[in-house]
Amino acid sequence: FVSNKLTDFDGDGCADGLEDADEDDDDIIDSKDRCPHTRPGDVSDGSGCSEQQRVEAAQRAEQARLSPPTLGAAAPVPSEHTMLEEWAAL
């Protein structure tokens, strides 16, 4: 195992998904974390989302509401800060 940004998001020396129950180290276990990959140092709420992630999610929701996709349009590409519920809606 080589620890890097792709295999060890939080840099704790544990392989993400194999030996790490909290891949982004936000104190919310992955099975309950609504916002995977919270940036190191960001404070998350009880659902694992940082303020920035909540703001970005609200902005994406508002943009989607104002600009509904057209038939045949490419689906938006989720960022690393996309909330899981948004992924499910895509």
Side-chain angles (χ1 to χ4, degrees):
F1 164 73
V2 175
S3 177
N4 60 43
K5 192 75 167 163
L6 295 175
T7 61
D8 183 16
F9 180 80
D10 60 359
D12 65 356
C14 296
D16 292 340
L18 298 176
E19 30 182 71
D20 196 348
D22 180 16
E23 292 182 17
D24 57 8
D25 204 26
D26 62 357
D27 294 328
I28 306 296
I29 60 170
D30 293 338
S31 63
K32 304 226 183 268
D33 197 337
R34 292 178 52 203
C35 296
H37 298 125
T38 301
R39 292 181 182 144
D42 284 0
V43 176
S44 64
D45 62 12
S47 63
C49 299
S50 69
E51 177 66 24
Q52 179 178 353
Q53 288 170 308
R54 289 189 301 273
V55 168
E56 289 173 355
Q59 289 171 340
R60 285 189 298 274
E62 180 65 7
Q63 182 177 6
R65 185 184 70 78
L66 295 175
S67 307
T70 58
L71 186 59
V77 176
S79 75
E80 67 177 346
H81 302 290
T82 304
M83 296 176 69
L84 293 177
E85 289 83 7
E86 291 181 277
W87 284 52
L90 296 178

